[in-house]
Amino acid sequence: EVQLVESGGGLVQAGGSLRLACAASGFTFDDYGIGWFRQAPGKEREGVSCINSSDGSRFYADSVEGRFTISSDIAKNTVYLQMNSLKPEDTAVYYCAAMRSRAGCSSRKYEYDYWGQGTQVTVSS
């Protein structure tokens, strides 16, 4: 059974940092791209970042470029999202997702096959 479990969310002041983790099980990590998405109240779910461990490709949305860093630990089947210089507009539920791909990843949510339950990130001003 494929499972994705997010952790690391919480409440932080503007300018602070959080590290999210996405622990994956039930599939071969190398065959999938892993993405981070977020959804704020009343807004569409948007792609934040993604990584494919097979070819090292990464993507960042313009809104987080230079502040967020995605990485993976293949031995632990875990993908991390280090979020620095957080802003109130980063407040959202953050989801990780997996898409079948031997190379590359995508910012488009419809390309992803499996989703986690999400973790809340709240940034206070």
Side-chain angles (χ1 to χ4, degrees), residues 18-70:
L18 284 173
R19 189 177 79 155
L20 305 183
C22 173
S25 61
F27 62 92
T28 304
F29 212 52
D30 286 357
D31 292 336
Y32 284 76
I34 304 295
W36 282 100
F37 292 78
R38 66 186 181 187
Q39 188 166 19
K43 294 189 177 182
E44 291 286 324
R45 190 171 298 190
E46 63 173 350
V48 173
S49 181
C50 69
I51 186 170
N52 191 304
S53 300
S54 294
D55 66 356
S57 57
R58 289 169 171 81
F59 161 83
Y60 296 99
D62 289 344
S63 57
V64 306
E65 181 81 54
R67 300 188 297 123
F68 291 10
T69 303
I70 193 169

Side-chain angles (χ1 to χ4, degrees), residues 70-92:
I70 193 169
S71 61
S72 65
D73 185 332
I74 295 175
K76 294 183 179 179
N77 253 29
T78 299
V79 170
Y80 302 97
L81 186 68
Q82 178 67 43
M83 307 187 296
N84 298 329
S85 302
L86 282 162
K87 304 175 181 180
E89 51 264 45
D90 294 318
T91 295

Side-chain angles (χ1 to χ4, degrees), residues 87-111:
K87 304 175 181 180
E89 51 264 45
D90 294 318
T91 295
V93 178
Y94 282 71
Y95 301 88
C96 69
M99 60 176 289
R100 294 183 184 89
S101 174
R102 300 299 297 272
C105 58
S106 173
S107 63
R108 295 182 288 271
K109 57 183 181 289
Y110 63 81
E111 297 197 46

